[in-house]
Amino acid sequence: MLPRFVPRALAGLLVCLAVLLTGCAGDPGPASRASPASRTSPAWARGTATVEESRLPAEARRTLALIDQGGPFPYAKDGTVFGNFEGRLPEHRRGYYHEYTVPTPGSPDRGARRIVTGQGGEYYYSGDHYESFRAVLR
């Protein structure tokens, strides 16, 4: 006959084992909280900060719609070659990237915001005149 504490100890051990095998119900961690789009980023976006299109400023989403339509664009420089002189985007031959203005409300000029596209289907957003870029996940 087993001592009284053995069934309780065995039950406790089984509970601990079940928790270890199935995982805790606590915080799943940042990778699990990430949106599905960020977990399946295209190869060209890997290693670059990303932003989902829906989280861009409204003006950037309108600029993307204009790019999809092929224009007309409100600024003469829209669609011109972006030289990537800062080297913040992956290196490609000249002419690979093109830039488009994202209007900045209240700015007397084109402002600092841009969308840069690549010939491989890449879209990048810069809110600080090319100081940084985020790959746009569409």
Side-chain angles (χ1 to χ4, degrees):
M1 179 170 226
L2 295 172
R4 258 190 185 164
F5 70 88
V6 171
R8 287 185 191 161
L10 187 57
L13 183 60
L14 288 174
V15 168
C16 289
L17 184 59
V19 168
L20 286 173
L21 291 175
T22 60
C24 296
D27 185 4
S32 297
R33 284 192 307 265
S35 67
S38 66
R39 283 184 286 182
T40 58
S41 295
W44 61 265
R46 294 204 178 96
T48 303
T50 60
V51 60
E52 292 182 36
E53 180 177 0
S54 64
R55 298 185 64 82
L56 287 172
E59 299 84 6
R61 293 192 307 271
R62 284 194 289 275
T63 299
L64 285 168
L66 283 176
I67 293 168
D68 292 343
Q69 298 174 111
F73 300 104
Y75 299 92
K77 298 239 348 154
D78 288 346
T80 61
V81 170
F82 173 69
N84 194 27
F85 301 121
E86 298 83 0
R88 292 193 174 92
L89 295 179
E91 190 175 329
H92 287 283
R93 62 176 166 61
R94 180 152 174 77
Y96 184 86
Y97 294 114
H98 291 84
E99 68 173 280
Y100 300 86
T101 305
V102 175
T104 303
S107 177
D109 56 19
R110 290 174 63 209
R113 303 187 301 179
R114 303 287 186 273
I115 296 285
V116 174
T117 62
Q119 291 180 357
E122 309 96 311
Y123 293 87
Y124 296 95
Y125 173 74
S126 176
D128 53 15
H129 204 260
Y130 319 124
E131 288 297 316
S132 65
F133 287 96
R134 289 186 284 167
V136 178
L137 303 177
R138 301 188 80 189

